[in-house]
Amino acid sequence: MARRGRMEADRGATSAAPAVPGSAIAEAADGGSAARGWLRLGRDGRLTAYASCAEGLVRWTESAPGSDIWQGPELFPVEGWAGRFTLAQDHNGFVWFAGTRFRDGAPGGRELIVATQYQTGRPLGDWRAVGNPFPERKKSQPQAQAQPPSPGQEQPEPEAESGAPLPPPGDPVVLPDGTGALHILTTRFGVGARGRTRRADGVWGSWVDYQGKWVRGAVVPLVTAQGRAEFLVTFRGGASYWGQEMPGSDFRWLGRMKADAVEGTYSSCETGPGIGTYFWRHPADGGVIAYRPQAPAGASPALMPLGGAGGVGPVGVARTRIDGYDCTVLLQRGAEGYPEIAAYPTHGEHYGTWWAPVGDRCAGLPAISLDARGSVTIAMIDLDGGLLIARQDPTDPGLAFGPWCRVG
């Protein structure tokens, strides 16, 4: 059972003046700029939290594994920053970021950018542009005389069938596989999903079309412990499933599922060797649904309800042992704006879940990770833009948490 942590103000707060006002961080988080999985464990055992503001990326870093003293918030400005970003961590512990920036002269006025943090607490590498697979078609260009594009050339897209401009592209997503290759994937309703790969030797390939003309929202990525990458391309009423046969191979279409979901509420987690479970919210009540495309032999994939009605956004997911059992832990922002947590035996969705509040109101989505000791750690941004964390109490049976600690 999850028990609510006690609020403890300002313990462990850093004395340095923040690089960005907390109100700007809270405003961005409440505006939907919080990335899925924004709390990450580095190879040196320190946790790092990431957020966004109007000027760029914001970061807080543990001073030592398990410490209540954190550094930050640090601001990493990005010229032309569009405000939203996604992140992923590879097998080396590198954290990869993808976002969008506005730039005069770029196709459609915007370009996708990526950056890397190679070590916990170290500066980010330079943001590098990787192009835009959805530049706007010039009005003066006669479509009848359009020539087939050469390999790697960015392709102009038509307007929507109604003649209205197409909506802006979805958030770019980074997906590092086990060979050291980096895949960046993005979507646009009315066009589809497209991706580009940077091989381990640093060479970028051309944009590849992954279909899904009526895609809604960003792709949903997952990388297994063996380094095999896969993703969902979501649309109204279902999703198509793409994946590698082995790390480094090309993505291929693996099937299609039918399911209603609230747009932008997908998340994923490897819940068994090479087995991914995807989560989203049902439009009827906002309850969480779990789905495994790779069902056990002799069984068909099924939609498995997990409660959490009224929650918003994607759930955070982690796996840990509770009282000796392998369990999946879910974290959500509940209907009243409080973080709520639930746990169940991994692949035991049929047992159901019970959701418990674990803190005060938060801005944006809370996040979950394991710390250096393997304890579940949850984080949230409060309404003033401060970072708060609470850790699992290993002395208490079940899933209980110590007091919340404001660390930045």
Side-chain angles (χ1 to χ4, degrees), residues 32 65 71 185 193 198 232 235 332 335:
Q71 300 161 351
L185 301 150
R198 195 204 70 170
L232 296 183
F235 49 85
Q332 71 169 4

Side-chain angles (χ1 to χ4, degrees), residues 208-230:
V208 177
D209 186 0
Y210 294 113
Q211 305 170 24
K213 181 176 181 180
W214 306 121
V215 60
R216 292 178 179 271
V219 303
V220 190
L222 186 147
V223 181
T224 68
Q226 294 77 30
R228 185 184 61 81
E230 61 182 59

Side-chain angles (χ1 to χ4, degrees), residues 43-351:
R43 294 193 69 177
D44 66 352
R46 290 189 290 164
L47 289 166
T48 306
Y50 303 93
S52 182
C53 70
E55 291 78 24
L57 194 70
V58 180
R59 184 182 74 183
W60 298 263
T61 309
E62 267 188 322
S63 60
S67 174
D68 289 336
I69 307 297
W70 289 51
Q71 300 161 351
E74 299 175 275
L75 172 64
F76 296 89
V78 184
E79 186 176 356
W81 183 241
R84 296 171 62 92
F85 72 100
T86 63
L87 73 162
Q89 196 166 9
D90 67 19
H91 65 286
N92 290 315
F94 302 164
V95 181
W96 295 87
F97 305 90
T100 304
R101 69 181 174 198
F102 300 108
R103 184 178 66 81
D104 292 340
R110 65 174 66 206
E111 60 188 2
L112 308 184
I113 51 175
V114 296
T116 317
Q117 176 186 288
Y118 294 104
Q119 288 180 289
T120 302
R122 300 293 296 171
L124 272 62
D126 293 338
W127 288 91
R128 299 184 181 276
V130 296
N132 178 357
F134 308 121
E136 304 294 339
R137 181 183 294 277
K138 296 180 180 179
K139 297 293 185 181
S140 59
Q141 179 180 353
Q143 295 189 24
Q145 298 179 7
Q147 298 298 316
S150 58
Q153 179 181 341
E154 293 171 334
Q155 305 174 40
E157 296 298 340
E159 294 180 338
E161 292 177 1
S162 64
L166 293 170
D171 295 333
V173 170
V174 278
L175 188 56
D177 69 28
T179 66
L182 179 73
H183 312 278
I184 183 165
L185 301 150
T186 187
T187 60
R188 192 169 194 182
F189 179 77
V191 182
R194 288 183 178 165
R196 193 178 183 193
T197 297
R198 195 204 70 170
R199 301 194 316 242
D201 60 8
V203 176
W204 283 94
S206 304
W207 289 102
V208 177
D209 186 0
Y210 294 113
Q211 305 170 24
K213 181 176 181 180
W214 306 121
V215 60
R216 292 178 179 271
V219 303
V220 190
L222 186 147
V223 181
T224 68
Q226 294 77 30
R228 185 184 61 81
E230 61 182 59
F231 60 90
L232 296 183
V233 176
T234 64
F235 49 85
R236 181 177 294 172
S240 58
Y241 178 43
W242 294 76
Q244 297 175 321
E245 291 185 355
M246 62 184 67
S249 65
D250 292 339
F251 292 107
R252 63 185 184 93
W253 187 80
L254 299 176
R256 174 175 171 166
M257 68 174 190
K258 294 183 178 180
D260 291 325
V262 178
E263 182 179 341
T265 64
Y266 288 85
S267 54
S268 62
C269 181
E270 184 182 18
T271 52
I275 299 174
T277 301
Y278 291 86
F279 303 86
W280 61 82
R281 295 192 182 278
H282 196 280
D285 62 359
V288 179
I289 302 294
Y291 179 84
R292 276 184 289 281
Q294 299 178 359
S300 299
L303 305 178
M304 299 166 284
L306 291 169
V312 296
V315 295
V317 191
R319 283 179 63 197
T320 190
R321 300 197 75 81
I322 301 175
D323 296 336
Y325 295 96
D326 177 9
C327 292
T328 299
V329 185
L330 306 179
L331 181 69
Q332 71 169 4
R333 187 184 187 189
E336 302 299 323
Y338 300 95
E340 297 177 348
I341 202 162
Y344 62 93
T346 298
H347 292 184
E349 288 86 358
H350 57 280
Y351 291 111

